Amino acid sequence: MEYLYWIFISVYVIVVVATIINVLMDNRLPVKTMAWVMVLAFMPVVGIVLYFFFGQDTRKEKLISQHSLDLLTKRSMLEFAVQTDLKVPDGSETLVKLFASQNWAMPFKDNAVDIYTTGYDFFSSLFREIGAAKSSIHLDTYIFDHDSLGQLLADMLIDKAREGVEVRVIYDDVGCWNVHDSFFKRMRDAGIKVMPFMPVRFPAFTSKVNYRNHRKLCVIDGRVGFIGGMNVAKRYVTGIDGHSWRDTHLKIVGGAVYAIQRAFLIDWYFVSGTLITDRRYYPELLGNVKNDIVIQIVTSSPVEKWPDIMQGYVRILLEARRYVYIETPYFLPTETVMSAMRIAALAGVDVRIMIPRHGDAKFVEWASRSYVFETIQAGVKVYLYRPGFLHSKLLVCDDIVCTCGSTNVDFRSFENNFEANAFIYDRETTLRFKQIFMDDIKECNFVTERMISRKRPFAQRLWESVVRLLSPLL
């Protein structure tokens, strides 16, 4: 027995050392490398299991060929090219060029934007548009719950499919782990094309469990698009544990719908292998929206060369002159974003971060507190939202640019997840977002450096700092 024990120990040490070398050779951010080295070194066996499921880097993988990507982008590019008198507002040119050059996120003008801050308003609008659908419905969501709201949406989609409308649904396999297969089978049996994103089956796809499709997109008839932070679940309407759910979602009518459609069809090709480039999915706009509201739909993923949305946030923070206001449910910023916040605040920019007073994940809440303390020391103003869970993901800057989508200010959104945000360049729309932020502040507690340092005992602060080391993995 002792002989077998030493063989096991020797093999285990070799595996750990080889894994640590692999982590080092990936050339990740030092903080993330150190986090994984610590997990592998100080968490026997568990560390290896965690790395197998969550640690393998896919950024260098090419999951969609460039030729296929070009074909999927061609139609939206043609629609972009036929625009006339496209004017990017002063002060936004470099950000627009950044997204266009590295993400193929083309700017589109002539857009009408409706902003929803409650699940009731969002789903009422979504259901109305689905009920009016004539040709196609494309839904891409992280969570499609089988609760009463999910069942209602499923019934509506089934009815539309029976009317002859093409219905395609993408759901994230991990986000819907608790949803029984029969729920999706019922939709498939009714003629709906339903596909899971990166299904996790042991052992074939276990290394992909960490890379999830967190996008929330819907395109109806190629004319109306939805994008934001709300999944399909009853809690987005009713709240949880007696507390309200505060979120933000957008309905867009106009040129930017072409870009939302492109994002969906790229995801559809990824999950189904079906290349859809037909002109009918990019119908000619009705022409009833004529304005200078310019929108880019920016996506990011762990398999793209650069973390595009994160770089956009950094660019906004570094170019800000007066203010940057951010709402996020999870605050575990990468060092790049953290540095940009510090620089902006120290340069006199009014940087404000709003997070929930109580999160829905204790480890994340503990880890975020040390970041909160650090940002406050640099002059960033931090607000804790009281009434319920703040799931809103928005940013507004200088009355020039605002963004809303699925991206949280954390490692997972910036580096691991497939995300999508609408970046809007328009003063009036930005002022609407600004007013939403200021209204939310009325429901917040302002956090001071003294409050944090006084109320937290040493043991708690030490624990938060230890948990912070795992931030890149949370």
Side-chain angles (χ1 to χ4, degrees):
M1 278 307 276
E2 185 177 350
Y3 176 72
L4 293 175
Y5 170 78
W6 285 110
I7 289 179
F8 172 78
I9 293 297
S10 300
V11 171
Y12 178 76
V13 169
I14 292 172
V15 171
V16 169
V17 171
T19 305
I20 289 176
I21 291 173
N22 187 60
V23 170
L24 294 172
M25 294 300 291
D26 276 341
N27 292 320
R28 313 180 192 203
L29 290 173
V31 64
K32 197 166 187 178
T33 299
M34 284 301 299
W36 276 117
V37 169
M38 289 183 63
V39 167
L40 292 166
F42 297 108
M43 297 178 68
V45 181
V46 175
I48 289 292
V49 173
L50 288 173
Y51 181 78
F52 181 67
F53 279 88
F54 302 107
Q56 300 181 61
D57 191 2
T58 63
R59 192 170 289 281
K60 297 175 183 177
E61 296 184 21
K62 192 66 177 177
L63 300 183
I64 297 180
S65 71
Q66 189 59 49
H67 176 67
S68 299
L69 188 59
D70 290 343
L71 290 175
L72 289 163
T73 302
K74 181 180 179 181
R75 180 57 59 185
S76 61
M77 285 288 291
L78 290 174
E79 302 299 339
F80 162 76
V82 300
Q83 293 183 111
T84 58
D85 301 323
L86 176 65
K87 298 176 183 177
V88 177
D90 293 340
S92 301
E93 299 91 346
T94 56
L95 185 62
V96 171
K97 288 179 181 177
L98 174 69
F99 290 141
S101 63
Q102 70 180 31
N103 192 261
W104 287 105
M106 297 297 106
F108 287 91
K109 68 183 186 75
D110 296 336
N111 295 286
V113 180
D114 290 337
I115 306 172
Y116 305 112
T117 57
T118 69
Y120 178 83
D121 290 337
F122 162 59
F123 284 107
S124 295
S125 178
L126 178 66
F127 290 166
R128 280 196 301 270
E129 296 296 343
I130 287 176
K134 302 298 182 184
S135 60
S136 64
I137 300 170
H138 292 159
L139 177 66
D140 192 346
T141 184
Y142 177 64
I143 298 171
F144 197 147
D145 210 339
H146 60 298
D147 57 18
S148 57
L149 182 75
Q151 294 285 358
L152 176 59
L153 178 57
D155 289 343
M156 293 187 67
L157 296 176
I158 288 171
D159 288 343
K160 300 309 291 188
R162 288 171 176 165
E163 292 175 11
V165 175
E166 290 184 2
V167 183
R168 296 180 176 89
V169 174
I170 301 172
Y171 68 91
D172 187 82
D173 190 67
V174 172
C176 295
W177 256 351
N178 65 332
V179 181
H180 199 276
D181 288 342
S182 61
F183 176 71
F184 298 111
K185 183 178 184 299
R186 186 169 75 94
M187 287 191 279
R188 291 190 184 98
D189 291 345
I192 298 174
K193 298 178 176 67
V194 183
M195 296 296 297
F197 185 90
M198 276 194 187
V200 177
R201 302 291 181 266
F202 190 86
F205 286 99
T206 16
S207 62
K208 300 296 190 298
V209 70
N210 198 37
Y211 303 102
R212 308 316 313 165
N213 190 339
H214 196 237
R215 295 167 184 162
K216 292 93 173 169
L217 309 172
C218 187
V219 183
I220 297 163
D221 290 345
R223 300 184 186 277
V224 179
F226 292 88
I227 183 170
M230 297 197 212
N231 291 292
V232 180
K234 183 181 177 181
R235 61 183 176 273
Y236 287 79
V237 178
T238 62
I240 51 174
D241 300 328
H243 298 289
S244 62
W245 190 288
R246 165 71 183 87
D247 219 319
T248 309
H249 215 93
L250 307 179
K251 180 176 83 171
I252 299 174
V253 177
V257 179
Y258 292 142
I260 302 176
Q261 185 78 288
R262 170 185 178 264
F264 176 87
L265 293 178
I266 288 175
D267 280 357
W268 185 256
Y269 175 69
F270 176 71
V271 298
S272 71
T274 304
L275 198 66
I276 299 176
T277 60
D278 198 291
R279 177 70 174 83
R280 63 194 177 94
Y281 296 102
Y282 297 87
E284 184 177 352
L285 298 178
L286 298 177
N288 55 346
V289 179
K290 290 292 183 182
N291 57 38
D292 292 323
I293 299 179
V294 177
I295 299 179
Q296 285 177 293
I297 303 300
V298 183
T299 59
S300 64
S301 78
V303 297
E304 293 174 1
K305 188 174 183 180
W306 309 108
D308 301 307
I309 293 177
M310 186 189 79
Q311 291 186 162
Y313 274 49
V314 170
R315 187 79 190 187
I316 290 172
L317 284 161
L318 295 181
E319 289 193 339
R321 293 295 177 263
R322 296 190 291 122
Y323 74 86
V324 179
Y325 300 156
I326 299 173
E327 292 185 356
T328 179
Y330 311 112
F331 187 62
L332 302 173
T334 62
E335 184 56 37
T336 307
V337 172
M338 194 72 175
S339 295
M341 286 182 183
R342 284 197 300 264
I343 292 170
L346 292 170
V349 177
D350 181 14
V351 182
R352 304 187 188 189
I353 307 293
M354 189 183 299
I355 58 178
R357 183 178 182 182
H358 297 293
D360 62 345
K362 274 298 178 184
F363 262 91
V364 175
E365 187 176 336
W366 288 328
S368 69
R369 288 174 184 168
S370 62
Y371 288 104
V372 167
F373 184 65
E374 186 176 342
T375 56
I376 289 174
Q377 287 180 313
V380 176
K381 300 179 180 70
V382 177
Y383 297 85
L384 301 181
Y385 187 77
R386 291 190 311 268
F389 183 55
L390 178 75
H391 193 252
S392 173
K393 310 126 187 328
L394 65 83
L395 177 152
V396 56
C397 173
D398 286 353
D399 300 347
I400 295 174
V401 59
C402 55
T403 181
C404 173
S406 61
T407 308
N408 303 310
V409 181
D410 64 6
F411 284 84
R412 177 159 301 282
S413 273
F414 286 145
E415 297 187 352
N416 294 340
N417 285 344
F418 292 71
E419 305 280 7
N421 268 45
F423 284 78
I424 306 172
Y425 310 94
D426 173 66
R427 177 179 170 81
E428 181 182 346
T429 307
T430 301
L431 289 174
R432 289 162 62 195
F433 270 92
K434 183 180 181 181
Q435 187 59 52
I436 289 171
F437 186 91
M438 300 311 292
D439 289 342
D440 287 339
I441 273 187
K442 298 174 185 176
E443 305 291 337
C444 291
N445 291 332
F446 177 61
V447 184
T448 65
E449 186 175 342
R450 178 177 297 182
M451 288 169 57
I452 293 180
S453 58
R454 277 187 177 180
K455 291 185 177 181
R456 297 183 306 151
F458 173 78
Q460 182 180 341
R461 286 184 280 124
L462 177 61
W463 171 245
E464 290 166 1
S465 296
V466 171
V467 176
R468 172 175 169 152
L469 295 175
L470 302 178
S471 296
L473 318 182
L474 295 177

